[in-house]
Amino acid sequence: EPEVTQTPSHQVTQMGQEVILRCVPISNHLYFYWYRQILGQKVEFLVSFYNNEISEKSEIFDDQFSVERPDGSNFTLKIRSTKLEDSAMYFCASSADRGQETQYFGPGTRLLVL
Amino acid sequence: QKEVEQNSGPLSVPEGAIASLNCTYSDRVSQSFFWYRQYSGKSPELIMSIYSNGDKEDGRFTAQLNKASQYVSLLIRDSQPSDSATYLCAVSNNAGNMLTFGGGTRLMVKP
């Protein structure tokens, strides 16, 4: 069964450093998403991406964040200058379409900012 | 601010019982509703989706939607210890390009 994959599974970085989280969505899916979950808190939407541009973004997704689909398979989330409060689990998801289409989640990248 | 509210629990039920999980949402124009299961340290896994008022059954799971009351529920029949997890209610926005999650209800099924 096709699945969303994410790398790395864990990332430790120093405050102020740049990190890139990588995702390979399900191959025939057209919509891609990033969510985050701070330990013990809700899953929060960050951004959705369709046709090589941002479709929707939340207030969390400020200028420190960017997304890119550098090739036909990868979808990346970049955090330019990490802060302590960026420590969270970051989930990539993809869907065949929007609306009623299910979003399938990857296993997540646990980011720890020291 | 669109809100999705769930009782955090824990909801404790004996094995074989029915577990009832509830969710309310604030955005009246929402059209798509999802229940995800999340084991500790893992990613959300889809259990069921529902789009129309009424009941939708899939195996041991039944989702119920009442748009007038802005209420979604999930019933788990014949609960098993392996059902012990946090159940997340998620609501799609009108454009269908983002999900708003509730805080989840932690379910504990005791053998």
Side-chain angles (χ1 to χ4, degrees):
Chain A
E1 185 174 319
E3 58 184 21
V4 177
T5 59
Q6 291 185 242
T7 54
S9 58
H10 294 78
Q11 173 112 34
V12 181
T13 190
Q14 296 292 324
M15 188 171 56
Q17 294 296 304
E18 174 183 287
V19 295
I20 298 176
L21 310 182
R22 293 182 167 79
C23 167
V24 179
I26 294 173
S27 63
N28 62 342
H29 283 186
L30 300 178
Y31 280 82
F32 315 117
Y33 313 84
W34 283 102
Y35 292 82
R36 78 172 186 191
Q37 187 175 30
I38 295 170
L39 188 63
Q41 297 188 23
K42 293 183 180 185
V43 175
E44 300 174 290
F45 169 78
L46 294 178
V47 65
S48 60
F49 192 84
Y50 170 72
N51 199 27
N52 279 321
E53 58 184 31
I54 290 174
S55 174
E56 186 80 48
K57 63 180 181 178
S58 71
E59 292 177 353
I60 302 168
F61 194 87
D62 61 20
D63 292 343
Q64 293 298 312
F65 292 89
S66 62
V67 288
E68 190 179 29
R69 188 154 164 83
D71 53 44
S73 59
N74 290 284
F75 178 52
T76 62
L77 174 69
K78 181 192 289 186
I79 310 175
R80 287 190 183 81
S81 179
T82 49
K83 305 171 191 168
L84 296 176
E85 55 264 36
D86 293 328
S87 296
M89 182 76 99
Y90 287 80
F91 296 112
C92 174
S94 70
S95 64
D97 201 338
R98 58 180 180 167
Q100 294 189 359
E101 290 294 328
T102 297
Q103 295 183 24
Y104 294 92
F105 283 72
T109 294
R110 186 172 295 282
L111 176 65
L112 178 61
V113 182
L114 301 176
Chain B
Q1 181 82 8
K2 300 179 178 64
E3 297 286 343
V4 178
E5 299 291 339
Q6 297 180 255
N7 188 319
S8 62
L11 172 65
S12 182
V13 301
E15 184 175 355
I18 295 175
S20 177
L21 307 165
N22 304 314
C23 170
T24 58
Y25 60 95
S26 64
D27 188 359
R28 188 167 286 278
V29 301
S30 297
Q31 297 293 320
S32 304
F33 307 87
F34 305 86
W35 283 99
Y36 285 84
R37 177 174 62 198
Q38 186 177 34
Y39 293 110
S40 181
K42 302 296 185 182
S43 61
E45 172 193 10
L46 183 75
I47 299 296
M48 287 195 69
S49 58
I50 188 165
Y51 314 117
S52 304
N53 280 327
D55 295 0
K56 179 181 177 183
E57 187 173 317
D58 183 1
R60 295 187 296 112
F61 300 95
T62 299
Q64 299 172 318
L65 174 61
N66 184 326
K67 290 185 179 180
S69 300
Q70 295 175 238
Y71 176 89
V72 194
S73 67
L74 180 70
L75 299 178
I76 306 174
R77 288 180 298 281
D78 187 24
S79 296
Q80 300 298 309
S82 58
D83 294 328
S84 298
T86 297
Y87 288 80
L88 308 177
C89 174
V91 177
S92 179
N93 66 335
N94 196 34
N97 57 4
M98 65 172 282
L99 293 176
T100 299
F101 282 84
T105 298
R106 185 176 164 218
L107 174 66
M108 297 172 58
V109 181
K110 297 190 173 181

